[in-house]
Each structure stands twice: as C-alpha cells, then as structure tokens.
Amino acid sequence: MRIRSAVGADRDQLWTAVREETVALTAHGAGQVSVERAHEPPEQSPGGSYRSVIASS
C-alpha cells in the first residue's frame, strides 16, 4: 500500500491506522486481507489519476 501523507504527519501512526482499518475489512466479508507497506509514493496514471480501492458494503 502506498500512502501520501500530509506534511508533518506521523507516517508510522498513519500506517498503523490504515493497516488496522484495511485488515478489519475481513469482518465485513472481504475474505483474507494482506497489507504490505510500500516505501514508494503513490504513482499517478498517464491520465493524472491515482488507483483507488474503495470498499463497498
């Protein structure tokens, strides 16, 4: 998972919160969820957008 954080944000605290919320998706029927921290920043597509993952309930 690649995360772009706000200037001055605690990146470790942000990662912990994102990981916990993502793994919690298993309680909503998402099946097995595995999350890895990427150290590279998010990459924009040639069209200028970011790839997003949106959970639906």
Side-chain angles (χ1 to χ4, degrees):
M1 181 171 293
R2 297 178 180 185
I3 302 170
R4 181 178 305 264
S5 59
V7 175
D10 181 331
R11 292 179 53 86
D12 291 329
Q13 184 179 9
L14 175 61
W15 165 246
T16 299
V18 169
R19 184 189 64 215
E20 288 173 356
E21 291 296 321
T22 304
V23 173
L25 292 173
T26 59
H28 298 285
Q32 177 102 10
V33 176
S34 176
V35 182
E36 294 181 23
R37 185 177 187 172
H39 295 284
E40 303 85 14
E43 295 178 3
Q44 288 180 293
S45 70
S49 62
Y50 291 97
R51 181 176 178 186
S52 300
V53 177
I54 302 171
S56 61
S57 51

